[in-house]
Amino acid sequence: MPRSTKGTAPTGYQEVWMRAIATVSLSGDLRTKLEAIARAGFDGVEIFENDLLSFDGAPADVRNLCESLGLKILAFQPFRDFEAMPEPQRSRNMQRAERKFDLMEQLGTDFLLVCSNVSPQASDDLDQAAADLRELAERAAKRGIRIGFEALAWGRHISDYRDAWEVVRRADHPSLGVVLDSFHILSRGHDLSTIGKIPKDKIFFVQVADAPLLNMDILQWSRHFRCFPGQGRLPLKYFMAALAKSGYDGPLSLEIFSDAFRAAPTEATALDGLRSLILLENLLPNGPWAGSIPPAPRYNGIHFIEFSLDEDSAAPLGEFIGALGFRHVGRHRSKNVELWKQGDIHLVLNFETDSFAHTFRLLHGISVCAVGFRVDDVDKALTRAKTFKAQLFRGLVGEGEMEIPAVRGIEGSLIYLVDDEAAEDRQWRTDFELFDQASRDEAGLTRVDHLSYVLPATQMLGWQLFYHTVFGFEAEAEHEIVDPHGLMISQAVTSPDSSIRLPLTISQARDTLPGRFLSEYQGGVQQIAFASHDIFASVDALQARGLPLLKIPGNYYDDLEARYGLDEELLEAMRSRNILYDRNDEGEFFHAYTETFSGRFFFEIVERRGGYHQFGAANAGIRLAAQAAHSR
């Protein structure tokens, strides 16, 4: 079924397939859901029965609303516990179906999804199931309605899509087809080869969902932990490969049951859903759904970090980053903006009152409002971003100044895309009056190692999907970290070459460090880590400048000695400088923390040795306890 395209697709990307989503996938009432689905760019929708029952209006009103939004109602669902029932339940089911047909005519949809029976009264007789579905399809055909039969993974007798297909095959009615659901199939580990053998005109509908790999009751797994493609670990690529062999050309529809999504903002979740479908369509590079989406660009680290400040915070932050070894090296030619530099690190301090930075500051206070990613091909990066529905940003540009394209991040901050040539020095020489550029009196900090974001717990999957689709980043392992006031979870997204690392942190406990930051400042960047080739020399330089470092308890170093058997001289060198330590099979990690600036964000100094690519998660609890003690 071809998509009814809306608007203009990005250059080189051919939008062909109808994209849909079930209303059960989103939070909010039915009207809110439908409006968000339409704004995200979907073409079709499955109306979930509970959403319709709670709607304050007639089914015809839903039909009119969808038509006004440009949405096609592709299905009404679910119709439960139908096939292979004894009398009198069988006759009642037929009467119940006729009433659903009446409703569907008002709703304006011609497709009813029937899921396999879970009732203990159901028979295991496939011939009876086929006869029941054939009669249902015959009744439906008289009303211009089609029936799709789906095997629930926990169905009493039919829990395998192959059995559902066998029932449809035996029923042999043109108005009856099979519904394939990736979760029900992949969660059971069913063989996928039969999918390619089902005639494409008998596959009436395809629903897709991903999920984390959890060892739990399959019904609970399904009802609470489904997620969008790209957010879980189910082998969707193999499912799509099998589907491609069938020649199926109908809608791809998301059906998600998730506690997190039920609490997440409706608009953001709908947009995530559309991004996930685009990702799904392109899992097979040469598949029938694939478009010409460019690969992610080559990254070369974080080029700059921009802070939004007011005049009162200018001097204190200047003193703080000056003690970190940064020098004030430039002033913007037309704006109240300063440039500070050390090594290959650029800090932009924005004091403008009529700007994006000012608007961001009103919501988040003194904060990091933008970062710059250094890329080898800006056009390719922008094409990919637009394909995955990222919102582009264009700020005010003065005469003779450079226009640097930017993408809005999920929390509203900006991510600028700077090409290698501009990043060398053209950007700064064009837009800034530069002072003495000689590298001197620095502290040995060379580049941005990572930035840590705090975000609402319900948005972790959305952030991961955003960075995976728009920028091609991958999510690393999840870490549970104990704060003195509760539990927090951290999971990093990183560029393919690891030159950009972004740990994402959530906590549902209000009094943890990230919990307080989220409550007071709506989240964003809380931790900024700078790399050093010699952390001991860097810390000595910082301490000589009077920079307050976070004090680490002596017990920590006693435990280090017991765990790792470190040389006493090295141990004492770390103890005297409040440097923490971690190691794994790949290498070693040394890191130290500043005290928190103005209760907002703090800095970390790190040195990586060998191939260590983690973030010292084993020390996070020590750091959090020290920060909690310092804040008392």
Side-chain angles (χ1 to χ4, degrees):
M1 185 182 296
R3 293 188 60 226
S4 55
T5 55
K6 304 174 187 174
T8 303
T11 303
Y13 188 80
Q14 185 66 34
E15 296 187 301
V16 177
W17 311 99
M18 180 171 280
R19 297 171 182 148
I21 187 170
T23 56
V24 73
S25 307
L26 306 174
S27 64
D29 58 48
L30 184 56
R31 179 179 293 274
T32 299
K33 294 181 182 190
L34 293 174
E35 290 173 347
I37 289 167
R39 277 194 289 268
F42 285 93
D43 307 297
V45 63
E46 298 178 60
I47 301 295
F48 205 73
E49 185 175 43
N50 285 352
D51 286 317
L52 182 64
L53 294 178
S54 60
F55 179 72
D56 186 18
D61 295 329
V62 176
R63 175 180 186 170
N64 293 335
L65 176 59
C66 287
E67 289 178 352
S68 70
L69 293 171
L71 291 173
K72 180 177 177 59
I73 301 177
L74 298 176
F76 179 65
Q77 65 121 333
F79 191 60
R80 301 184 186 276
D81 294 337
F82 172 77
E83 84 283 357
M85 291 290 278
E87 292 291 359
Q89 288 90 346
R90 183 182 187 278
S91 296
R92 290 200 201 104
N93 279 341
M94 294 298 176
Q95 295 169 7
R96 185 163 58 98
E98 291 288 355
R99 289 197 292 270
K100 297 299 181 187
F101 297 159
D102 292 339
L103 183 153
M104 290 171 64
E105 287 178 345
Q106 299 175 56
L107 198 58
T109 184
D110 67 348
F111 184 67
L112 177 65
L113 189 152
V114 178
C115 49
S116 61
N117 209 322
V118 299
S119 170
Q121 296 180 346
S123 165
D124 62 356
D125 186 340
L126 294 187
D127 285 329
Q128 182 185 344
D132 292 347
L133 284 164
R134 179 177 177 79
E135 180 176 341
L136 180 67
E138 184 64 25
R139 288 170 177 256
K142 295 175 181 178
R143 311 278 290 269
I145 291 173
R146 299 172 301 129
I147 303 297
F149 186 50
E150 173 189 57
L152 295 178
W154 53 90
R156 184 164 183 83
H157 300 296
I158 299 176
S159 60
D160 188 323
Y161 81 96
R162 292 167 293 189
D163 291 332
W165 162 235
E166 176 60 20
V167 168
V168 169
R169 188 192 67 78
R170 293 185 191 185
D172 190 25
H173 194 284
S175 292
L176 177 66
V178 70
V179 174
L180 300 178
D181 183 300
S182 65
F183 179 85
H184 293 302
I185 294 170
L186 298 175
S187 63
R188 284 284 191 178
H190 294 315
D191 181 84
L192 302 175
S193 61
T194 300
I195 293 176
K197 300 173 184 176
I198 301 174
K200 77 172 187 176
D201 62 343
K202 298 305 289 184
I203 302 176
F204 276 12
F205 206 69
V206 172
Q207 295 174 318
V208 288
D210 207 340
L213 300 180
L214 301 173
N215 184 18
M216 64 186 304
D217 174 76
I218 197 166
L219 176 59
Q220 296 303 310
W221 185 18
S222 171
R223 285 288 177 258
H224 300 283
F225 296 101
R226 292 198 202 188
C227 54
F228 290 133
Q231 294 179 327
R233 292 289 184 268
L234 294 181
L236 283 170
K237 184 174 182 177
Y238 297 107
F239 175 81
M240 296 302 289
L243 187 63
K245 290 180 181 178
S246 75
Y248 175 77
D249 58 2
L252 296 174
S253 184
L254 299 163
E255 186 192 45
I256 312 297
F257 298 88
S258 165
D259 293 347
F261 290 5
R262 292 185 186 103
T266 313
E267 294 275 351
T269 306
L271 186 55
D272 284 346
L274 194 74
R275 286 193 181 109
S276 76
L277 274 183
I278 298 171
L279 179 67
L280 182 81
E281 293 164 357
N282 289 275
L283 287 180
L284 304 176
N286 299 313
W289 301 278
S292 56
I293 298 177
R298 178 183 59 80
Y299 295 98
N300 192 14
I302 294 176
H303 179 49
F304 67 85
I305 302 170
E306 182 175 346
F307 296 85
S308 177
L309 305 166
D310 54 30
E311 293 294 344
D312 292 338
S313 60
L317 184 60
E319 292 176 6
F320 202 97
I321 63 176
L324 275 165
F326 287 87
R327 295 174 298 108
H328 183 195
V329 299
R331 181 172 293 279
H332 200 280
R333 297 183 186 279
S334 65
K335 300 180 177 70
N336 189 11
V337 178
E338 296 177 356
L339 175 64
W340 293 64
K341 185 176 184 295
Q342 177 174 193
D344 197 30
I345 309 166
H346 300 85
L347 304 183
V348 177
L349 277 53
N350 191 324
F351 309 97
E352 284 284 290
T353 56
D354 183 18
S355 65
F356 162 81
H358 175 69
T359 302
F360 192 85
R361 185 166 71 248
L362 293 176
L363 294 173
H364 297 269
I366 301 167
S367 54
V368 172
C369 64
V371 298
F373 288 176
R374 187 167 172 171
V375 300
D376 68 330
D377 190 327
V378 171
D379 290 339
K380 182 167 67 175
L382 283 175
T383 299
R384 182 183 178 93
K386 287 187 288 187
T387 299
F388 282 108
K389 311 303 180 184
Q391 183 181 357
L392 304 188
F393 173 85
R394 186 178 188 277
L396 297 175
V397 180
E399 184 177 352
E401 296 173 0
M402 285 189 62
E403 182 174 353
I404 304 175
V407 173
R408 282 193 182 272
I410 293 182
E411 91 289 20
S413 67
L414 298 181
I415 301 167
Y416 286 93
L417 302 170
V418 188
D419 66 43
D420 286 331
E421 180 189 358
E424 286 297 333
D425 75 345
R426 184 162 60 90
Q427 173 190 357
W428 310 120
R429 293 192 178 280
T430 300
D431 290 355
F432 287 79
E433 296 176 3
L434 299 178
F435 313 143
D436 181 13
Q437 294 293 292
S439 296
R440 52 184 168 73
D441 198 29
E442 297 184 350
L445 308 184
T446 58
R447 58 181 175 78
V448 178
D449 185 86
H450 62 271
L451 295 177
S452 295
Y453 288 79
V454 172
L455 49 140
T458 59
Q459 294 183 21
M460 175 67 91
L461 290 175
W463 280 62
Q464 290 176 1
L465 184 67
F466 174 80
Y467 279 100
H468 179 54
T469 54
V470 175
F471 297 109
F473 289 14
E474 293 294 338
E476 298 189 356
E478 181 180 283
H479 296 279
E480 290 188 351
I481 300 167
V482 177
D483 179 280
H485 300 287
L487 187 69
M488 49 188 276
I489 295 173
S490 182
Q491 188 168 22
V493 291
T494 63
S495 61
D497 62 353
S498 296
S499 68
I500 301 176
R501 302 178 175 98
L502 307 175
L504 309 176
T505 302
I506 61 174
S507 177
Q508 298 194 43
R510 185 181 179 87
D511 290 333
T512 60
L513 183 69
R516 295 195 305 273
F517 185 75
L518 182 65
S519 175
E520 295 175 18
Y521 308 116
Q522 289 76 55
V525 174
Q526 187 180 36
Q527 178 181 342
I528 302 164
F530 299 128
S532 169
H533 293 311
D534 184 347
I535 190 172
F536 296 92
S538 291
V539 168
D540 286 345
L542 301 183
Q543 290 181 329
R545 289 174 165 85
L547 183 74
L549 294 179
L550 187 67
K551 185 170 179 55
I552 304 302
N555 290 335
Y556 168 78
Y557 296 98
D558 294 338
D559 182 63
L560 273 188
E561 183 179 21
R563 275 193 293 150
Y564 295 118
L566 297 176
D567 178 83
E568 181 59 34
E569 184 178 351
L570 174 61
L571 199 63
E572 182 55 35
M574 289 190 292
R575 188 195 311 265
S576 64
R577 295 171 175 84
N578 293 292
I579 293 174
L580 297 100
Y581 175 82
D582 189 30
R583 77 181 182 202
N584 57 24
D585 292 341
E586 284 72 44
E588 298 176 290
F589 187 61
F590 299 82
H591 55 138
Y593 296 90
T594 69
E595 294 180 358
T596 303
F597 174 77
S598 190
R600 310 297 177 97
F601 42 80
F602 56 94
F603 298 90
E604 180 184 11
I605 315 303
V606 311
E607 181 185 347
R608 300 176 182 273
R609 296 182 183 178
Y612 186 100
H613 292 293
Q614 301 304 309
F615 303 91
N619 297 322
I622 302 298
R623 184 258 299 174
L624 287 160
Q627 288 174 318
H630 180 265
S631 65
R632 287 201 294 265

